[in-house]
Amino acid sequence: MPVADLHVHTTNSDGRMALADVPDAARTADVGVVAITDHERLHPELETPIDDLDGTTAIHGIELRVETESGQVDLLGYGVTPTAELRTELDRLQNDRIERGRAIIDRVEERLDCDLALEPTEGIGRPHIARAIARSDADYDYEGAFAEVIGNDCPCFVARDLPTFERGAALLADACGVVSLAHPLRYGDPAAALALAASDHVDAVERYYDYDRPVDIAPVTRAIERHGLLETGGSDAHDDVLGRAGLDRDEYDAFRERLAASLPEDVPRP
């Protein structure tokens, strides 16, 4: 059973839990450690890289999407002490999210002849728009909105202006104690994604993940062993169900040791 769920989203991006809801969800799942990894946004209520939330250890993290030659991938940064450069890039990305969200909403409302009653703000992502479509008079549920309206290659899709892998990984490496490649088997070319693990800026790979389908984890294990990387894992929770994937005690101890060694001396240890 996982003791640490290192991939969790809140209402600060596109999750449904407020930060205050996390301890109860963690206790329900018997998880003692949670990493808050909101999309391209630091959580304003987490002022240190490691915090205590009513008995639950909270690691301040972030998920950053980047461009590579073979497509987009996601990176997870853990134990954030934000640099000026990271803050500047996150501000740019949030502005891009708002403009992109507005463009998608306009396209959806015109195409489906509906009013989504949704104002684009910081943190907006396609899940917010899919939920708005499902609430509207349009004949789509949440999954259908993604599959037929706003998903990649769908008529209302709008691309984002993302940093390159090299820039994004370097920004996270400067600001975070551990940088991990997220859910490597979700991408169109998993082998190309796993090749990124050779980067000097990548410390870990998300080995444990709730793919919701059978997967062959062997390529992930080989990449971890080949490059001497840490294992991370998490549920990628956008709801309040934690612990669907994560690290066991020994795996978390290895992660914690590496993270603790990177933190400033005045920061509490995980």
Side-chain angles (χ1 to χ4, degrees), residues 6-30:
L6 301 183
H7 195 161
V8 174
H9 298 279
T10 72
T11 52
N12 188 50
S13 61
D14 58 353
R16 297 195 175 190
M17 276 193 302
L19 189 65
D21 300 325
V22 170
D24 283 344
R27 281 189 286 270
T28 298
D30 199 22

Side-chain angles (χ1 to χ4, degrees), residues 46-216:
L46 293 174
E47 298 180 352
T48 58
I50 310 293
D51 209 338
D52 178 85
L53 297 180
D54 193 19
T56 296
T57 297
I59 299 172
H60 194 183
I62 190 166
E63 185 168 9
L64 181 66
R65 182 158 293 181
V66 297
E67 290 281 6
T68 77
E69 292 182 357
S70 58
Q72 298 175 357
V73 303
D74 294 318
L75 300 173
L76 296 163
Y78 297 105
V80 182
T81 302
T83 61
E85 291 80 6
L86 179 62
R87 289 190 185 277
T88 297
E89 181 62 11
L90 295 182
D91 287 345
R92 186 191 71 79
L93 286 169
Q94 288 306 319
N95 289 332
D96 180 68
R97 273 187 176 274
I98 291 169
E99 293 308 312
R100 182 225 198 186
R102 181 175 291 109
I104 294 177
I105 291 168
D106 288 347
R107 290 187 181 190
V108 169
E109 290 181 338
E110 180 178 357
R111 185 175 184 86
L112 302 184
D113 191 23
C114 66
D115 181 2
L116 295 186
L118 180 64
E119 181 67 25
T121 59
E122 285 193 0
I124 189 170
R126 284 184 290 172
H128 297 97
I129 300 173
R131 292 169 196 152
I133 293 172
R135 292 192 301 265
S136 75
D137 295 333
D139 191 21
Y140 293 97
D141 60 11
Y142 179 88
E143 290 77 13
F146 263 103
E148 300 184 45
V149 183
I150 64 173
N152 295 356
D153 300 322
C154 288
C156 296
F157 174 77
V158 177
R160 297 182 56 203
D161 181 13
L162 298 174
T164 64
F165 167 77
E166 292 78 10
R167 174 166 171 73
L171 286 171
L172 291 185
D174 287 343
C176 303
V178 172
V179 178
S180 180
L181 174 67
H183 40 62
L185 303 180
R186 270 187 57 178
Y187 308 118
D189 189 344
L194 285 167
L196 301 172
S199 167
D200 290 340
H201 296 310
V202 174
D203 309 298
V205 175
E206 193 170 46
R207 182 181 183 191
Y208 303 103
Y209 184 80
D210 183 23
Y211 286 101
D212 197 29
R213 59 181 172 84
V215 295
D216 178 11

Side-chain angles (χ1 to χ4, degrees), residues 219 221-229:
T221 303
R222 286 195 296 269
I224 289 170
E225 293 174 349
R226 182 180 304 119
H227 302 297
L229 300 173

